[in-house]
Amino acid sequence: MEATYSYAFVERLMGIHHDRSNVFLELGYFVTPSLSLRGIATGLYTHGGFAFKSPQETPLDLFPIHDRIGHDEGLDVGAGISYLLTGSTEVYASYLKQVEGRGGHKIANALSFGVSWSFSPQQLGRRLFASRSSGSAGE
């Protein structure tokens, strides 16, 4: 399980307060040691901001910055899967669907996939310097 909350103190723009809260929740289950499934929920809420009814009704002086000062809120839910190919390489995919949202740009469906490679500084050090120092011990 992973849960995060962040609050962004955003500089006022044209005198408009528009701080933002972000929430993320992920619940996972290892089906096998290499295969994991997860449920995902993510949300946002703008504290303040300007509620635009439509682009046509946006005041001309605010139109150039309407994306930055808009009052947005939304909730996305979805699922993900990942598979560990080696001890340090993993492939993953996830799908999110917006189930609630006001303001901002609607992203009804989102699919992401990728490959991740993990390492530690000690592993890199051993790989970089092991070949240089081996063989010089007996000289």
Side-chain angles (χ1 to χ4, degrees):
M1 179 181 145
E2 178 183 355
T4 61
Y5 170 80
S6 65
Y7 186 93
F9 297 94
V10 182
E11 181 180 358
R12 288 178 184 253
L13 194 55
M14 295 190 73
I16 298 172
H17 167 78
H18 55 108
D19 289 356
R20 180 177 169 137
S21 287
N22 297 289
V23 178
F24 177 79
L25 175 65
E26 180 177 60
L27 300 171
Y29 179 75
F30 282 94
V31 179
T32 70
S34 297
L35 178 67
S36 66
L37 303 174
R38 62 185 52 85
I40 306 165
T42 182
L44 67 94
Y45 182 81
T46 303
H47 304 274
F50 192 87
F52 298 103
K53 293 181 182 164
S54 71
Q56 294 81 13
E57 296 179 20
T58 303
L60 289 176
D61 61 330
L62 297 180
F63 188 78
I65 59 169
H66 73 280
D67 284 332
R68 295 188 284 165
I69 61 169
H71 175 77
D72 301 334
E73 55 187 273
L75 175 65
D76 299 339
V77 296
I81 185 169
S82 63
Y83 187 76
L84 193 61
L85 296 173
T86 68
S88 61
T89 306
E90 179 180 31
V91 293
Y92 59 88
S94 65
Y95 169 78
L96 287 173
K97 177 165 184 62
Q98 188 175 47
V99 294
E100 170 68 29
R102 282 188 233 160
H105 299 281
K106 181 173 178 63
I107 300 176
N109 300 286
L111 179 64
S112 65
F113 55 92
V115 177
S116 67
W117 174 63
S118 59
F119 61 90
S120 71
Q122 292 85 1
Q123 288 174 323
L124 286 178
R126 284 193 295 267
R127 286 185 183 176
L128 290 174
F129 301 112
S131 61
R132 293 181 189 167
S133 60
S134 65
S136 62
E139 295 178 26

